[in-house]
Amino acid sequence: MFCTGIVNFNPLLLGRSRCVHNFIYNQIAFELIYCNAVNFKESVIILGVFILGIVIGISVMKKPRVQEQSSVSSEPISIIDTHLHTSLSPSDRTNEAMGQAIANELLAKMDRYDIGQAIVMPPPQGPDQRAVYTYTALSSIVATNRDRLLLGGGGGDLSMMIFSTDPEDVTDTLKNEFRSIAEAIVSTGAVSFGEMAVLHLCLDPNHVYLVTQADHPLYLLLTDVSAETGVPIDVHMEVLTKNASTPKRFLDVCDQNPEMLLENFSGFERLLDHNLQAKIVLQHVGSDNLGNWDPTLLRTTLAKHPNLFVSLRVPDLYFTNSSRPSTLTLIDSDGTINSEWLALLEDFQDRFMVGSDTFTSLPGAQTPMDFPSGFSGLQKFIELLPDDLAKKIGHDNATVIYPIE
């Protein structure tokens, strides 16, 4: 509130004002004391101080608020890991005691890295794979821990049906069988169809190469079931917007990988468009093997397809290995989130989650598939995010996208 004299900018009237005013502009206080001024000169000086306060206040207001923009998560987030596996031998799959032992080991690791809940699912599997298992083998692991361990299904049965059947060979009988299995998965309380795959590269001689069309008739059918039940589809997909030669490093590590990789992005868009009520969650983004899911492609795809969601995989090597592959761009070499990625996360902040892709085995077992560092990477990534993004990406979005209570 200003005196009449000051509002009218009449210095002669300032001398007759008998009060004290506080001028506060953008959290900066300027106290103007001008009681009983006795002459014009004093009034002019007071007015000059007042105007100077306004100028300083405006200049401060215009400075960028660096502190707020660079603030990171200060409170621990109870992270929801949307993508998790276990290493199960054939004997473990029917042994309830073993299942509980694996669950206890998994929960202990989750506790160390602020993982509150996790979706456990079979990896994608094909007809030429050994040691195949389905969601039923995970029942003993999640049975007594349903408040923290959530079930995903489809990687060992729905996936097998897709990779065993050419698109042109799909019959109505096969569709009915596929739908029945999908509905049975939902009836067990599963919160995702996963892990499904479109293009899965082989990373070592014991790994597997899998490929199919993203708009395979059984995938289109699964989107209909997803829309009906509210259960999202978790998709592993190395994306190609055009045909490309397979990078040499993949040819060197596994002879299953072909010399050429075929374009699959157009089919993926047809999958997204088939039923807009279905939720498709793209897994392993941020560390996909080809690095093609970059911020530019993601931005245009997310803008075009509102039913697409993204789960970020942030391995610990982002923070520990200075010679990591150039395809890993989410975290810069100085350990901060890349600015282009951060802008994408802010612009589509309701569409991102995290998934470690960690495999957990029996207590004390040391296998190539045991990756607790996946949890460590997620925790470090969430801590780098501003508070509002950390809460959404680390926890809240998963409770909206998946049927998690």
Side-chain angles (χ1 to χ4, degrees):
M1 179 176 179
F2 297 104
C3 286
T4 303
I6 297 178
V7 171
N8 292 334
F9 281 37
N10 188 340
L12 295 175
L13 295 179
L14 286 172
R16 294 196 291 272
S17 300
R18 294 184 299 131
C19 56
V20 177
H21 289 268
N22 291 329
F23 174 72
I24 302 175
Y25 198 85
N26 195 34
Q27 302 178 351
I28 298 179
F30 296 94
E31 193 169 271
L32 303 177
I33 304 175
Y34 44 86
C35 298
N36 299 316
V38 296
N39 56 43
F40 177 81
K41 182 177 180 181
E42 289 181 0
S43 299
V44 170
I45 292 173
I46 292 171
L47 179 61
V49 171
F50 174 76
I51 294 173
L52 179 62
I54 293 176
V55 172
I56 294 174
I58 291 174
S59 66
V60 171
M61 181 184 69
K62 288 184 177 180
K63 289 184 179 180
R65 301 171 72 178
V66 176
Q67 175 106 17
E68 290 188 16
Q69 291 179 351
S70 62
S71 65
V72 296
S73 181
S74 56
E75 294 294 329
I77 302 295
S78 180
I79 300 169
I80 297 179
D81 184 341
T82 66
H83 196 90
L84 188 67
H85 303 294
T86 60
S87 300
L88 294 173
S89 69
S91 60
D92 296 338
R93 297 167 194 171
T94 57
N95 187 321
E96 290 189 8
M98 287 293 187
Q100 188 56 54
I102 292 175
N104 292 339
E105 177 76 359
L106 176 55
L107 291 170
K109 290 177 180 177
M110 290 168 60
D111 288 341
R112 288 201 295 271
Y113 297 105
D114 298 327
I115 310 294
Q117 293 177 293
I119 304 176
V120 187
M121 65 188 72
Q125 297 158 68
D128 298 326
Q129 229 168 325
R130 301 187 303 274
V132 172
Y133 71 94
T134 73
Y135 69 98
T136 58
L138 300 173
S139 298
S140 61
I141 296 176
V142 304
T144 58
N145 305 282
R146 290 189 178 274
D147 59 328
R148 298 191 64 190
L149 300 180
L150 309 167
L151 183 64
D157 32 37
L158 300 179
S159 174
M160 186 71 68
M161 295 177 72
I162 290 173
F163 290 113
S164 300
T165 310
D166 290 335
E168 60 271 16
D169 294 335
V170 174
T171 64
D172 289 341
T173 300
L174 186 62
K175 286 183 177 180
N176 291 336
E177 181 184 354
F178 186 90
R179 173 181 276 276
S180 294
I181 294 173
E183 291 174 345
I185 291 171
V186 175
S187 70
T188 65
V191 299
S192 78
F193 291 118
E195 179 184 358
M196 310 303 291
V198 173
L199 173 58
H200 183 283
L201 293 173
C202 178
L203 303 182
D204 67 59
N206 297 316
H207 207 208
V208 62
Y209 169 78
L210 298 169
V211 65
T212 190
Q213 297 176 10
D215 57 346
H216 189 292
L218 294 181
Y219 265 137
L220 298 181
L221 174 58
L222 190 58
T223 63
D224 292 333
V225 180
S226 171
E228 294 164 9
T229 61
V231 174
I233 304 170
D234 285 336
V235 177
H236 175 134
M237 178 183 170
E238 303 293 341
V239 66
L240 291 108
T241 56
K242 61 182 179 180
N243 296 347
S245 298
T246 302
K248 185 177 182 297
R249 66 183 183 276
F250 297 113
L251 298 175
D252 291 342
V253 297
C254 182
D255 59 10
Q256 296 178 47
N257 293 321
E259 294 282 343
M260 289 291 297
L261 300 174
L262 303 181
E263 184 274 330
N264 57 14
F265 182 66
S266 59
F268 185 59
E269 288 200 293
R270 287 191 291 272
L271 177 70
L272 290 165
D273 290 338
H274 177 72
N275 192 322
L276 296 180
Q277 300 307 308
K279 298 175 183 177
I280 310 294
V281 180
L282 192 60
Q283 291 287 343
H284 313 331
V285 174
S287 59
D288 57 302
N289 294 305
L290 295 178
N292 291 342
W293 281 117
D294 60 22
T296 300
L297 181 59
L298 282 168
R299 181 176 291 278
T300 58
T301 310
L302 286 166
K304 186 176 179 181
H305 302 282
N307 57 336
L308 176 64
F309 303 89
V310 176
S311 179
L312 297 166
R313 179 176 62 183
V314 191
D316 194 55
L317 66 84
Y318 257 130
F319 305 96
T320 60
N321 189 346
S322 59
S323 61
R324 62 180 187 260
S326 60
T327 54
L328 302 181
T329 61
L330 176 60
I331 305 298
D332 283 337
S333 58
D334 63 356
T336 61
I337 299 174
N338 174 271
S339 59
E340 190 176 0
W341 276 99
L342 185 58
L344 179 71
L345 299 180
E346 290 173 339
D347 291 344
F348 295 92
Q349 58 188 261
D350 296 328
R351 310 276 286 279
F352 283 89
M353 301 164 289
V354 289
S356 68
D357 197 27
T358 291
F359 282 76
T360 295
S361 54
L362 285 169
Q366 295 296 322
T367 73
M369 303 302 287
D370 193 26
F371 300 134
S373 63
F375 289 152
S376 174
L378 288 194
Q379 183 188 50
K380 291 174 182 176
F381 173 71
I382 293 300
E383 289 173 349
L384 288 176
L385 292 169
D387 282 344
D388 56 341
L389 280 181
K391 190 169 183 294
K392 283 190 171 185
I393 294 174
H395 181 275
D396 292 356
N397 289 346
T399 66
V400 175
I401 296 165
Y402 293 93
I404 297 176
E405 296 181 359

